[in-house]
Amino acid sequence: MGSPRLLIEQLRAEHLPELATQLRQPLVYEHIGGTPSLQEFILDRERALAGPGDAACNEHWLNYLVRERASRQMLGRLEATLHDSIAEVAFLFSPNYWGKGYAIEALAWLHAEIREAYGVASFWATTVPKNSRCQDVLLRSGYKQVHAATPPLYSFDEGDLVFHLCGAA
């Protein structure tokens, strides 16, 4: 799976130590609560890989690893929570690969994958106002900033900016 420059695969537990070396950097976590310890990072991702549990029968958690196709270097990860006929998406990439279009390319792949596999074409994302890099990726990916979190978004925290993309190509 992937795109011309990217290999994208299901994130698995055996990826987590290597992924931690790429993502556990202060710049990555600057706007999302501070850099976790290795143990916190692994535990958080293991929870995500376990999925939402039986109580959330109409919810799907998708977690993907992103690599550069040519070098096989791990770049970061993508995730989506599917619920109520929408997809809430998020991405984290190593600062070593920022500004090269990888996140935009990976999001385009994620949109297509979710549309084809789940029939969902309404994509949402949230970010804090200070995270201009994330906002730029979302806007360059076709998202529009909206003024209300409708439908209710699991990732929304008071003060977040909300972005929506409908019918992504």
Side-chain angles (χ1 to χ4, degrees):
M1 298 188 300
S3 66
R5 293 192 310 160
L6 303 176
L7 287 173
I8 301 174
E9 61 185 287
Q10 290 287 334
L11 183 62
R12 297 186 309 272
E14 59 264 25
H15 296 136
L16 298 181
E18 182 183 2
L19 186 61
T21 65
Q22 291 297 324
L23 295 185
R24 285 184 54 255
Q25 299 181 43
L27 282 174
V28 173
Y29 285 88
E30 178 180 12
H31 302 294
I32 54 175
T35 308
S37 69
L38 178 59
Q39 183 179 8
E40 291 167 335
F41 180 91
I42 299 287
L43 183 59
D44 178 66
R45 291 297 85 210
E46 286 175 341
R47 286 183 188 134
L49 294 175
D54 295 336
C57 60
N58 292 318
E59 187 176 317
H60 298 282
W61 292 4
L62 308 176
N63 294 279
Y64 298 101
L65 175 72
V66 181
R67 293 184 186 274
E68 185 179 50
R69 185 175 293 277
S71 68
R72 301 287 199 253
Q73 179 63 46
M74 193 176 286
L75 308 178
R77 66 179 180 85
L78 296 167
E79 65 181 63
T81 301
L82 308 182
H83 64 91
D84 302 310
S85 300
I86 69 165
E88 292 188 49
V89 303
F91 50 90
L92 283 178
F93 281 75
S94 168
N96 301 334
Y97 304 101
W98 290 356
K100 299 178 189 211
Y102 291 123
I104 293 167
E105 193 172 324
L107 270 179
W109 175 88
L110 183 63
H111 297 146
E113 177 69 15
I114 291 171
R115 249 190 344 276
E116 291 171 24
Y118 297 93
V120 172
S122 181
F123 302 93
W124 295 81
T126 63
T127 188
V128 297
K130 289 183 179 180
N131 194 342
S132 59
R133 285 186 175 278
C134 179
Q135 294 163 41
D136 184 55
V137 167
L138 292 168
L139 292 170
R140 290 178 61 203
S141 296
Y143 284 76
K144 305 289 184 214
Q145 185 176 348
V146 297
H147 297 289
T150 305
L153 302 176
Y154 297 171
S155 60
F156 179 80
D157 289 320
E158 190 64 38
D160 280 354
L161 301 178
V162 178
F163 294 83
H164 181 235
L165 175 66
C166 190

